[in-house]
Amino acid sequence: MATGLQKIQRELRSRADKRKAAILQRFFKTGPGEYGAGDIFLGLPVPLQRQIAKKYSHLSRLCLHSLLKSKIHEFRLVALLILTAQYESAISLDAKKKIVGFYLKNTRFINNWDLVDLSAYKILGDFLLRFQANPIILYKLARSSNLWERRMAVVATYAFIKAGRTKEVFLIAGKLLEDKHDLIHKATGWMLREAGKRTGADRLKRFLDKHHKTMPRTALRYAIERLSPAEKRSYLSGGKLSLRL
C-alpha cells in the first residue's frame, strides 16, 4: 500500500505539463549561474497545488521534510502550503513553536522567491508578531549570506504591517539597503510600499527622505508606487541604479 508521501508525489507527477514546465524553468531563472539554478518544474498551476495540499494536509513533518528536500519545485511549494495550513490550524503555542522551528531548520530548501513569499509572513512573521516581543531572528536572517533568508527577513515583516506595526519593516529595510541582489531590492520596496499603504505615507516618506539618494532604484520604484506623481519625480531624481543579478 502506498504511503501518504508516495501518493502525493505520484499525484503531483501525474498532473505535470511539459509546456508549462519549460515556461516556468525560464521564468524562475533555473539556468546555470542563475538564482534558481537546478530547480525542476512539473508545470502545475498554483491553484491546483493548493487543492492537492488541502487533500494531504495531514502529512507528517517527516513527509514534508522529504518533499522539501526534492529538487522538484512543486514538491517544495506544496510542502510549504501544507505546513502553513498546519501552522494556522495549530491551537497551542507549543505546536506553533515546533512548526516555526521546523521552518527555520529547513530554510535552505525554501530557495526561490515564491516559496519565501507564500510562507515567510504566514508562519515566521505571524509567530514573531504574536509571541515574540523582540523579533531578533529577523535581524539575524537579514545579515545572512543566504539570499533567500534575507528575503525571508523582509517578507516576514508583512505580518507586522498587516497588523498596523511598521517599526520592524523600516529597521529591516535599513539593513538591506546595501544588498546587491535585485530580488532583495524588490522585496524591500514591496514591503515599504505596503507599510505606507496600510499605516499612512508619513513614516514611509521620512524613510525615503533619508535614504532615497542612495537606495537601489528598484527598491525605490516599488516603494513609491502609491505616492503622488510629483513625489515620485522628486524621489526618483536621487535614486541610484540597482545592480541586477
Side-chain angles (χ1 to χ4, degrees):
M1 182 178 294
T3 65
L5 176 62
Q6 292 169 331
K7 287 179 180 179
I8 193 171
Q9 290 173 327
R10 187 181 302 159
E11 184 164 353
L12 288 166
R13 289 182 186 277
S14 72
R15 309 298 288 272
D17 184 322
K18 291 184 178 179
R19 184 185 63 82
K20 289 182 179 178
I23 294 171
L24 292 172
Q25 295 280 158
R26 294 191 295 272
F27 182 73
F28 282 93
K29 307 295 184 183
T30 62
E34 295 182 309
Y35 64 73
D39 217 347
I40 298 171
F41 283 81
L42 296 176
L44 278 67
V46 173
L48 175 58
Q49 293 180 72
R50 290 188 183 279
Q51 292 176 20
I52 294 173
K54 188 174 182 180
K55 181 178 177 181
Y56 292 92
S57 61
H58 62 281
L59 282 184
S60 69
R61 223 88 80 222
L62 183 61
C63 290
L64 295 182
H65 187 252
S66 294
L67 291 172
L68 282 173
K69 290 192 299 182
S70 174
K71 287 186 176 295
I72 296 175
H73 190 93
E74 288 87 349
F75 283 15
R76 304 200 306 284
L77 191 147
V78 168
L80 290 167
L81 289 172
I82 294 171
L83 190 68
T84 299
Q86 291 180 354
Y87 173 84
E88 291 173 343
S89 64
I91 298 174
S92 71
L93 171 60
D94 185 61
K96 289 184 180 292
K97 187 175 182 179
K98 287 179 179 178
I99 292 172
V100 172
F102 175 83
Y103 185 83
L104 290 172
K105 286 180 180 178
N106 289 282
T107 56
R108 65 189 181 280
F109 305 123
I110 307 171
N111 56 356
N112 217 314
W113 57 263
D114 61 326
L115 304 180
V116 171
D117 294 358
L118 70 85
S119 63
Y121 77 92
K122 292 183 176 181
I123 297 177
L124 180 59
D126 180 84
F127 184 83
L128 295 175
L129 170 67
R130 295 172 61 188
F131 305 112
Q132 296 289 319
N134 183 13
I136 193 169
I137 184 64
L138 294 184
Y139 310 127
K140 180 179 179 182
L141 291 172
R143 295 192 299 268
S144 173
S145 60
N146 183 305
L147 162 65
W148 307 114
E149 290 188 346
R150 299 197 306 278
R151 185 169 175 115
M152 201 174 288
V154 68
V155 173
T157 67
Y158 194 30
F160 294 81
I161 295 167
K162 286 165 73 72
R165 185 168 144 184
T166 59
K167 179 180 77 171
E168 288 76 15
V169 67
F170 289 113
L171 286 172
I172 296 298
K175 293 180 182 297
L176 293 174
L177 288 180
E178 297 298 320
D179 202 282
K180 301 301 182 183
H181 207 291
D182 192 57
L183 286 174
I184 301 300
H185 304 166
K186 289 178 178 178
T188 301
W190 169 29
M191 289 300 108
L192 289 172
R193 181 191 70 209
E194 291 301 312
K197 181 174 73 174
R198 290 178 180 270
T199 62
D202 288 348
R203 180 65 182 85
L204 171 61
K205 287 189 281 190
R206 289 199 298 273
F207 181 91
L208 294 175
D209 288 344
K210 182 177 180 181
H211 298 291
H212 76 279
K213 291 183 178 179
T214 56
M215 68 189 293
R217 180 60 62 93
T218 299
L220 180 60
R221 285 190 177 278
Y222 274 57
I224 64 176
E225 281 182 355
R226 296 180 65 87
L227 299 183
S228 71
E231 288 171 326
K232 289 179 183 179
R233 288 193 297 272
S234 176
Y235 284 124
L236 285 172
S237 66
K240 69 176 182 179
L241 291 177
S242 170
L243 177 62
R244 290 185 172 272
L245 298 182

